[in-house]
Amino acid sequence: MASNLKNLSSYSTHKLPDISGKKFGIVVSEWNDSITEALYSGALDTLLRHGAKKENLYRYDVPGSFELTLGAQYLAQEEEIDAVICLGCVIQGETRHFDFICDAVAHGITEVGMKYNKPVIFGVLTPDNQQQALDRAGGKHGNKGDEAAITAIKMLGFFQS
Ligand SMILES: Nc1c(NC[C@H](O)[C@H](O)[C@H](O)CO)[nH]c(=O)[nH]c1=O
Ligand SMILES: CC(=O)[C@@H](O)COP(=O)(O)O
């Protein structure tokens, strides 16, 4: 369902797990930092609002979205980390570089989650332009960081079920 049909910050809070003792790794790409900082703010607010403790949130920055995979692996391999949230924004340029980054980071993040059997969340915007990014980083379509955080919470509930 496209973001213009489902707001990224609109979600059910039915049967959310207790996350007061859960530890979250958050990997943030520095590329397009005006966007990724907004994603981080949304993710942080969502985690705290639903019971996470600030001392249990571990943020690491990486240069670009391509490095999110290695950052996610660095955190996911830590036994004490319960879930990892990856935040980035890859904006289409003039070349096919966009395609290679998006493909690599989507597959890479998936592989880390499978390897360590824990939630590793793809909170990466892949817009055509800056306006589409702004619309999804706290704009009219909500905040992808909110969506990434609530997805991590719900997947922790899945693993507890
Ligand atoms: N153009 C964007 C990039 N490019 C940088 C890559 O992610 C990577 O850091 C580089 O290729 C070195 O490995 N990254 C983004 O996150 N967003 C972009 O729009
Ligand atoms: C996604 C990118 O790496 C891209 O923004 C770089 O721009 P370009 O394709 O014009 O070199």
Side-chain angles (χ1 to χ4, degrees):
M1 180 180 282
S3 296
N4 62 352
L5 297 175
K6 180 191 177 301
N7 190 284
L8 294 166
S9 300
S10 173
Y11 52 82
S12 165
T13 59
H14 181 59
K15 284 190 175 180
L16 293 180
D18 174 9
I19 62 168
S20 59
K22 299 298 183 184
K23 296 189 175 184
F24 296 83
I26 308 172
V27 194
V28 185
S29 165
E30 294 171 354
W31 251 85
N32 299 312
D33 60 351
S34 62
I35 300 296
T36 60
E37 287 302 328
L39 300 182
Y40 175 74
S41 294
L44 181 65
D45 292 346
T46 302
L47 291 171
L48 295 174
R49 187 179 327 117
H50 293 295
K53 291 191 170 62
K54 194 149 191 176
E55 61 266 27
N56 288 340
L57 308 181
Y58 303 90
R59 171 176 170 165
Y60 287 84
D61 294 347
V62 294
S65 291
F66 186 85
E67 286 74 37
L68 287 172
T69 298
L70 194 54
Q73 177 174 277
Y74 177 81
L75 287 165
Q77 72 185 355
E78 293 293 337
E79 191 172 323
E80 67 170 15
I81 293 291
D82 296 296
V84 179
I85 296 168
C86 301
L87 302 173
C89 178
V90 188
I91 299 177
Q92 176 65 62
E94 295 177 351
T95 72
R96 295 185 299 128
H97 195 225
F98 170 89
D99 299 327
F100 290 103
I101 295 174
C102 294
D103 190 56
V105 72
H107 283 94
I109 287 173
T110 300
E111 288 167 15
V112 172
M114 300 295 281
K115 179 175 180 180
Y116 293 100
N117 198 39
K118 62 180 67 172
V120 179
I121 307 306
F122 183 70
V124 181
L125 292 173
T126 57
D128 294 331
N129 53 58
Q130 182 81 358
Q131 186 56 52
Q132 287 182 358
L134 291 168
D135 290 345
R136 293 158 177 79
K140 66 181 180 181
H141 294 319
N143 191 319
K144 190 74 172 178
D146 298 359
E147 181 201 53
I150 198 66
T151 300
I153 294 169
K154 290 185 175 185
M155 285 307 293
L156 287 174
F158 172 86
F159 275 85
Q160 288 172 354
S161 60

